[in-house]
Amino acid sequence: MHLNFKKVTGEHRKEIEALKLFDAQANFIETTAECLREADELSFWRPVGIYDDTTLIGFAMYGYLPFLGEGQLWFDRLLIDKQYQHKGYGRAAVAALLKRLQQEYPSCSCVYLSVYEDNTAAIRLYRQAGFSFNGEYDTKGERIMVRMY
């Protein structure tokens, strides 16, 4: 496994938009097309394709939100295509993305994410990566988790 991240560009966009989840996961995250439209409108979001060498296996989106409190770094979206799930990619992608965030945003001491309470697989994954619930909810009713660096 050799994970790397590529900024979503016009040439990769259709491939990113074609990523699929299992039907039972559809309510846990916006479609990649919706995520990319949001990133087009809000310049603080950084959408990336997740690749194993040259094979697209997933998508993530993160960004620094300066208008939240004193500013917050958010690991906002993570999607591993259904054909690559249960192969260790989620865990590896979270670890690699956290390392990337720490390098890109060295002044940030913590990173936030939100997750639906019934998304138990994601909660388990994020807890293993050092995230914990902070007792707050986002505007969509998702529970907020935080990880300190």
Side-chain angles (χ1 to χ4, degrees), residues 21-119:
L21 293 172
F22 290 103
D23 291 341
Q25 299 169 320
N27 293 328
F28 294 145
I29 186 171
E30 294 83 350
T31 67
T32 51
E34 291 169 321
C35 295
L36 293 173
R37 280 194 299 274
E38 186 177 347
D40 290 341
E41 295 170 9
L42 303 167
S43 63
F44 51 81
W45 289 126
R46 303 285 180 258
V48 294
I50 305 169
Y51 292 81
D52 184 356
D53 288 320
T54 59
T55 302
L56 176 67
I57 58 102
F59 169 80
M61 192 163 82
Y62 60 89
Y64 181 76
L65 286 62
F67 52 85
L68 291 178
E70 295 177 14
Q72 294 180 356
L73 178 58
W74 277 77
F75 177 177
D76 200 61
R77 313 276 165 72
L78 174 68
L79 179 152
I80 303 298
D81 187 85
K82 67 181 184 180
Q83 70 178 329
Y84 298 105
Q85 291 184 23
H86 308 293
K87 297 180 181 188
Y89 284 117
R91 185 180 339 233
V94 169
L97 280 163
L98 288 172
K99 187 174 186 177
R100 180 183 179 116
L101 292 174
Q102 196 168 24
Q103 292 169 347
E104 274 188 49
Y105 302 93
S107 63
C108 293
S109 60
C110 61
V111 61
Y112 295 84
L113 61 79
S114 60
V115 62
Y116 286 107
E117 201 157 10
D118 56 343
N119 191 349

Side-chain angles (χ1 to χ4, degrees), residues 133-146:
F133 289 110
N134 68 357
E136 298 178 16
Y137 291 82
D138 73 3
T139 58
K140 296 183 291 181
E142 294 181 60
R143 293 183 68 189
I144 295 175
M145 299 181 86
V146 64

